[in-house]
Amino acid sequence: MKLKIVLLIIEKLFGVTIREDKPRADMYLPERLLAMSLIFLAIGIACTVYAVMYFAVWSIVVAILGTVLGVFALLCWKNQAIHIISDKQFTYTTMFGNTRTYAFSDIQGLRKNQDSLTLFVAGDKVHIESMAVISDRLVSAIKSALVPGAAYLKMSTEELSQLSDDDLIFAVWTRTENIVQSGEDMSKGFHSLCEEQRIFYAINYLETEVNNGGLCQFFVNSSRIVAPVVGKYMGMIGAMEHQKLYEEFIQTHQIDTNDLSSFDCETVDNFQSQYGRYPFDEYDGKFYKLEPLQTNLVPYVKKHIEKF
Protein backbone atom coordinates (compact mmCIF):
# COMPACT_ATOMS: atom_id res chain seq x y z
CA MET A 1 0.00 0.00 0.00
CA LYS A 2 2.80 2.42 0.92
CA LEU A 3 4.55 1.71 -2.39
CA LYS A 4 1.35 2.41 -4.32
CA ILE A 5 0.99 5.74 -2.52
CA VAL A 6 4.58 6.68 -3.40
CA LEU A 7 4.01 5.73 -7.05
CA LEU A 8 0.80 7.76 -7.11
CA ILE A 9 2.63 10.81 -5.79
CA ILE A 10 5.37 10.37 -8.42
CA GLU A 11 2.78 10.05 -11.19
CA LYS A 12 1.05 13.25 -10.08
CA LEU A 13 4.31 15.20 -9.74
CA PHE A 14 5.93 14.16 -13.03
CA GLY A 15 2.95 13.30 -15.21
CA VAL A 16 4.25 9.79 -15.84
CA THR A 17 2.02 6.76 -15.54
CA ILE A 18 3.74 3.73 -14.01
CA ARG A 19 1.93 0.49 -14.71
CA GLU A 20 3.32 -3.02 -14.53
CA ASP A 21 0.87 -4.30 -17.17
CA LYS A 22 1.53 -1.53 -19.73
CA PRO A 23 5.00 -0.07 -20.53
CA ARG A 24 4.93 3.73 -20.74
CA ALA A 25 6.90 3.76 -24.02
CA ASP A 26 8.58 1.49 -26.53
CA MET A 27 11.92 2.57 -25.07
CA TYR A 28 12.23 4.13 -21.63
CA LEU A 29 14.55 4.19 -18.66
CA PRO A 30 13.52 2.00 -15.71
CA GLU A 31 12.31 2.99 -12.25
CA ARG A 32 15.68 2.17 -10.71
CA LEU A 33 17.05 5.31 -12.40
CA LEU A 34 14.24 7.26 -10.71
CA ALA A 35 15.27 5.72 -7.39
CA MET A 36 18.87 6.76 -8.03
CA SER A 37 17.79 10.31 -8.84
CA LEU A 38 15.75 10.58 -5.64
CA ILE A 39 18.70 9.31 -3.61
CA PHE A 40 21.00 11.89 -5.18
CA LEU A 41 18.45 14.66 -4.59
CA ALA A 42 17.99 13.57 -0.98
CA ILE A 43 21.75 13.70 -0.47
CA GLY A 44 21.82 17.13 -2.09
CA ILE A 45 19.05 18.46 0.15
CA ALA A 46 20.58 16.97 3.29
CA CYS A 47 24.00 18.44 2.53
CA THR A 48 22.42 21.81 1.73
CA VAL A 49 20.78 21.88 5.15
CA TYR A 50 24.05 20.85 6.78
CA ALA A 51 25.94 23.53 4.85
CA VAL A 52 23.51 26.22 6.00
CA MET A 53 23.80 25.12 9.62
CA TYR A 54 27.55 24.49 9.84
CA PHE A 55 29.04 26.30 6.80
CA ALA A 56 31.05 23.20 5.84
CA VAL A 57 32.74 23.54 2.46
CA TRP A 58 32.62 19.80 1.72
CA SER A 59 28.86 19.74 2.27
CA ILE A 60 28.38 22.57 -0.24
CA VAL A 61 30.33 20.61 -2.86
CA VAL A 62 28.40 17.40 -2.17
CA ALA A 63 25.11 19.32 -2.14
CA ILE A 64 25.78 20.76 -5.60
CA LEU A 65 27.03 17.46 -7.00
CA GLY A 66 24.15 15.45 -5.55
CA THR A 67 21.57 17.93 -6.82
CA VAL A 68 23.04 18.07 -10.33
CA LEU A 69 23.30 14.28 -10.60
CA GLY A 70 19.79 13.90 -9.24
CA VAL A 71 18.30 16.39 -11.67
CA PHE A 72 20.03 14.86 -14.70
CA ALA A 73 19.00 11.33 -13.70
CA LEU A 74 15.44 12.50 -13.10
CA LEU A 75 15.24 14.24 -16.48
CA CYS A 76 16.57 11.13 -18.23
CA TRP A 77 14.06 8.89 -16.47
CA LYS A 78 11.11 11.20 -17.08
CA ASN A 79 11.76 12.31 -20.67
CA GLN A 80 14.09 10.04 -22.60
CA ALA A 81 11.85 7.70 -24.58
CA ILE A 82 10.84 6.29 -27.94
CA HIS A 83 7.20 5.89 -28.93
CA ILE A 84 6.07 4.03 -32.04
CA ILE A 85 3.23 6.10 -33.50
CA SER A 86 2.60 4.02 -36.64
CA ASP A 87 4.11 1.25 -38.72
CA LYS A 88 6.18 3.90 -40.49
CA GLN A 89 7.07 6.45 -37.80
CA PHE A 90 8.32 6.85 -34.24
CA THR A 91 9.17 9.74 -31.92
CA TYR A 92 12.32 10.17 -29.88
CA THR A 93 12.36 12.44 -26.84
CA THR A 94 15.66 13.57 -25.33
CA MET A 95 16.38 14.03 -21.63
CA PHE A 96 15.52 17.72 -22.02
CA GLY A 97 12.08 16.97 -23.43
CA ASN A 98 12.83 17.78 -27.08
CA THR A 99 10.82 15.49 -29.33
CA ARG A 100 11.42 14.66 -32.98
CA THR A 101 9.50 12.41 -35.31
CA TYR A 102 11.41 9.99 -37.54
CA ALA A 103 10.49 7.48 -40.21
CA PHE A 104 11.74 3.93 -39.77
CA SER A 105 12.85 4.15 -43.40
CA ASP A 106 15.31 6.91 -42.34
CA ILE A 107 17.24 4.54 -40.07
CA GLN A 108 20.72 4.31 -41.56
CA GLY A 109 22.59 2.10 -39.14
CA LEU A 110 23.08 0.82 -35.62
CA ARG A 111 26.29 0.85 -33.61
CA LYS A 112 26.94 -1.06 -30.38
CA ASN A 113 28.94 0.93 -27.81
CA GLN A 114 30.30 -0.35 -24.52
CA ASP A 115 27.36 0.97 -22.51
CA SER A 116 24.74 1.91 -25.08
CA LEU A 117 23.41 1.62 -28.62
CA THR A 118 23.53 4.42 -31.18
CA LEU A 119 20.84 4.50 -33.85
CA PHE A 120 21.70 6.62 -36.90
CA VAL A 121 18.51 8.23 -38.22
CA ALA A 122 18.25 10.87 -40.95
CA GLY A 123 21.60 12.42 -40.08
CA ASP A 124 20.86 12.38 -36.33
CA LYS A 125 21.83 9.97 -33.60
CA VAL A 126 19.44 8.35 -31.16
CA HIS A 127 21.12 7.03 -28.00
CA ILE A 128 19.66 4.03 -26.22
CA GLU A 129 21.21 3.44 -22.80
CA SER A 130 22.14 -0.11 -21.77
CA MET A 131 19.66 -0.04 -18.88
CA ALA A 132 16.77 1.00 -21.13
CA VAL A 133 13.65 -1.13 -21.39
CA ILE A 134 12.90 -1.81 -25.08
CA SER A 135 9.71 -3.31 -26.47
CA ASP A 136 9.81 -6.31 -28.79
CA ARG A 137 7.99 -4.39 -31.52
CA LEU A 138 10.65 -1.64 -31.49
CA VAL A 139 13.44 -4.23 -31.77
CA SER A 140 11.60 -5.87 -34.66
CA ALA A 141 10.99 -2.55 -36.42
CA ILE A 142 14.64 -1.52 -36.15
CA LYS A 143 15.84 -4.88 -37.47
CA SER A 144 13.48 -4.62 -40.42
CA ALA A 145 14.61 -1.06 -41.16
CA LEU A 146 18.26 -2.11 -41.20
CA VAL A 147 17.77 -4.80 -43.82
CA PRO A 148 18.01 -2.37 -46.81
CA GLY A 149 21.53 -1.41 -45.68
CA ALA A 150 22.62 -4.97 -46.43
CA ALA A 151 22.18 -4.27 -50.14
CA TYR A 152 25.11 -1.85 -50.01
CA LEU A 153 27.41 -4.65 -48.89
CA LYS A 154 26.79 -6.54 -52.13
CA MET A 155 27.19 -3.61 -54.54
CA SER A 156 29.91 -3.65 -57.18
CA THR A 157 32.25 -0.70 -57.71
CA GLU A 158 30.21 0.32 -60.75
CA GLU A 159 26.97 0.26 -58.75
CA LEU A 160 28.54 2.38 -56.02
CA SER A 161 29.71 4.96 -58.55
CA GLN A 162 26.13 5.43 -59.76
CA LEU A 163 24.74 6.38 -56.35
CA SER A 164 23.87 9.94 -55.34
CA ASP A 165 26.39 11.71 -53.10
CA ASP A 166 24.33 11.13 -49.93
CA ASP A 167 23.67 7.48 -50.76
CA LEU A 168 27.34 6.97 -51.63
CA ILE A 169 28.46 8.27 -48.23
CA PHE A 170 25.95 6.04 -46.46
CA ALA A 171 26.90 3.03 -48.57
CA VAL A 172 30.62 3.47 -47.91
CA TRP A 173 29.92 4.03 -44.20
CA THR A 174 27.88 0.82 -44.12
CA ARG A 175 30.64 -1.15 -45.85
CA THR A 176 33.48 0.19 -43.68
CA GLU A 177 31.44 -0.14 -40.48
CA ASN A 178 30.71 -3.75 -41.39
CA ILE A 179 34.45 -4.45 -41.59
CA VAL A 180 35.17 -2.64 -38.32
CA GLN A 181 32.43 -4.48 -36.45
CA SER A 182 33.66 -7.84 -37.73
CA GLY A 183 36.98 -7.37 -35.90
CA GLU A 184 37.72 -8.71 -32.42
CA ASP A 185 37.28 -5.18 -31.11
CA MET A 186 36.76 -1.75 -32.65
CA SER A 187 40.45 -0.83 -32.65
CA LYS A 188 41.49 -4.00 -34.48
CA GLY A 189 38.55 -3.62 -36.84
CA PHE A 190 39.58 -0.05 -37.68
CA HIS A 191 43.18 -1.02 -38.35
CA SER A 192 42.04 -3.86 -40.61
CA LEU A 193 40.73 -1.24 -43.05
CA CYS A 194 42.94 -0.14 -45.93
CA GLU A 195 44.28 3.42 -45.73
CA GLU A 196 41.58 4.96 -47.95
CA GLN A 197 38.88 3.28 -45.86
CA ARG A 198 40.48 4.44 -42.60
CA ILE A 199 40.65 8.03 -43.86
CA PHE A 200 36.96 7.99 -44.80
CA TYR A 201 35.88 6.19 -41.63
CA ALA A 202 37.76 8.50 -39.25
CA ILE A 203 36.64 11.76 -40.88
CA ASN A 204 33.03 10.69 -41.30
CA TYR A 205 33.00 9.52 -37.68
CA LEU A 206 34.29 12.89 -36.46
CA GLU A 207 31.71 14.81 -38.47
CA THR A 208 28.85 12.59 -37.31
CA GLU A 209 29.79 12.91 -33.64
CA VAL A 210 30.43 16.67 -33.68
CA ASN A 211 27.21 17.38 -35.58
CA ASN A 212 25.29 15.33 -33.04
CA GLY A 213 26.86 16.25 -29.71
CA GLY A 214 30.06 18.22 -30.26
CA LEU A 215 33.76 17.43 -30.00
CA CYS A 216 33.34 16.39 -26.38
CA GLN A 217 31.04 13.56 -27.49
CA PHE A 218 33.69 12.53 -30.03
CA PHE A 219 36.21 12.12 -27.19
CA VAL A 220 33.75 10.38 -24.87
CA ASN A 221 32.41 7.79 -27.28
CA SER A 222 34.24 4.93 -28.95
CA SER A 223 34.87 7.31 -31.86
CA ARG A 224 37.93 8.53 -29.95
CA ILE A 225 39.98 5.63 -31.31
CA VAL A 226 40.42 7.73 -34.49
CA ALA A 227 41.33 10.91 -32.58
CA PRO A 228 45.13 10.51 -33.02
CA VAL A 229 44.90 10.30 -36.83
CA VAL A 230 41.81 12.25 -37.88
CA GLY A 231 43.66 15.59 -37.95
CA LYS A 232 46.25 14.28 -40.41
CA TYR A 233 43.53 12.59 -42.45
CA MET A 234 41.56 15.83 -42.84
CA GLY A 235 44.65 17.42 -44.33
CA MET A 236 45.01 14.49 -46.74
CA ILE A 237 41.56 15.13 -48.25
CA GLY A 238 42.08 18.88 -48.45
CA ALA A 239 39.96 19.90 -45.44
CA MET A 240 42.66 22.31 -44.25
CA GLU A 241 40.43 24.59 -42.19
CA HIS A 242 38.99 21.65 -40.31
CA GLN A 243 42.47 20.24 -39.77
CA LYS A 244 43.75 23.55 -38.42
CA LEU A 245 40.76 23.98 -36.11
CA TYR A 246 41.12 20.45 -34.69
CA GLU A 247 44.90 20.44 -34.27
CA GLU A 248 45.03 23.93 -32.74
CA PHE A 249 42.38 22.92 -30.19
CA ILE A 250 44.35 19.78 -29.29
CA GLN A 251 47.64 21.64 -29.01
CA THR A 252 46.27 24.67 -27.16
CA HIS A 253 44.68 22.55 -24.47
CA GLN A 254 47.44 19.91 -24.44
CA ILE A 255 45.06 17.02 -25.01
CA ASP A 256 46.81 13.68 -25.51
CA THR A 257 44.71 12.03 -28.22
CA ASN A 258 46.60 8.78 -27.66
CA ASP A 259 45.24 8.57 -24.13
CA LEU A 260 41.69 9.82 -23.75
CA SER A 261 40.89 7.49 -20.84
CA SER A 262 40.04 10.52 -18.69
CA PHE A 263 36.94 10.92 -20.87
CA ASP A 264 35.57 7.54 -19.79
CA CYS A 265 31.93 7.88 -18.80
CA GLU A 266 29.76 5.32 -17.08
CA THR A 267 26.65 7.44 -16.71
CA VAL A 268 24.84 10.29 -18.44
CA ASP A 269 25.76 12.50 -15.49
CA ASN A 270 29.47 11.81 -15.96
CA PHE A 271 29.07 12.60 -19.64
CA GLN A 272 27.58 16.01 -18.88
CA SER A 273 30.43 16.87 -16.52
CA GLN A 274 32.98 16.40 -19.32
CA TYR A 275 31.72 19.48 -21.16
CA GLY A 276 33.16 21.79 -18.53
CA ARG A 277 36.73 20.57 -18.92
CA TYR A 278 37.53 22.48 -22.10
CA PRO A 279 35.82 25.22 -24.20
CA PHE A 280 34.10 22.69 -26.45
CA ASP A 281 31.33 25.14 -27.34
CA GLU A 282 33.93 27.41 -28.92
CA TYR A 283 35.27 24.58 -31.09
CA ASP A 284 31.79 23.36 -32.04
CA GLY A 285 30.64 26.86 -33.02
CA LYS A 286 33.60 27.30 -35.38
CA PHE A 287 33.15 23.77 -36.76
CA TYR A 288 29.52 24.42 -37.69
CA LYS A 289 30.49 27.54 -39.64
CA LEU A 290 32.88 25.61 -41.91
CA GLU A 291 31.90 23.72 -45.04
CA PRO A 292 30.71 20.18 -44.17
CA LEU A 293 33.51 17.61 -44.27
CA GLN A 294 31.34 15.62 -46.65
CA THR A 295 32.18 18.29 -49.25
CA ASN A 296 35.72 16.90 -49.25
CA LEU A 297 34.82 13.29 -48.55
CA VAL A 298 32.59 12.79 -51.60
CA PRO A 299 35.27 13.60 -54.23
CA TYR A 300 37.83 11.61 -52.20
CA VAL A 301 35.61 8.53 -52.19
CA LYS A 302 34.83 8.88 -55.91
CA LYS A 303 38.55 9.18 -56.68
CA HIS A 304 39.29 5.97 -54.75
CA ILE A 305 35.98 4.22 -55.38
CA GLU A 306 37.68 0.89 -56.12
CA LYS A 307 38.99 0.80 -52.52
CA PHE A 308 35.50 0.80 -51.04
Side-chain angles (χ1 to χ4, degrees), residues 258-276:
N258 290 299
D259 182 11
L260 295 172
S261 56
S262 63
F263 284 91
D264 286 345
C265 288
E266 296 182 358
T267 66
V268 174
D269 305 314
N270 290 341
F271 177 76
Q272 293 297 326
S273 68
Q274 295 286 356
Y275 277 94

Side-chain angles (χ1 to χ4, degrees), residues 198-236:
R198 287 197 301 271
I199 289 171
F200 167 83
Y201 188 83
I203 295 173
N204 190 62
Y205 214 162
L206 170 71
E207 182 164 48
T208 300
E209 292 284 28
V210 176
N211 282 337
N212 181 261
L215 184 64
C216 181
Q217 180 172 294
F218 175 70
F219 288 152
V220 167
N221 287 344
S222 52
S223 49
R224 65 189 185 201
I225 68 165
V226 305
V229 296
V230 72
K232 177 183 71 174
Y233 287 168
M234 286 188 284
M236 293 173 68

Side-chain angles (χ1 to χ4, degrees), residues 88 101-109 120-123 145:
K88 297 181 178 181
T101 300
Y102 297 102
F104 282 109
S105 59
D106 288 333
I107 294 178
Q108 300 169 331
F120 296 90
V121 191

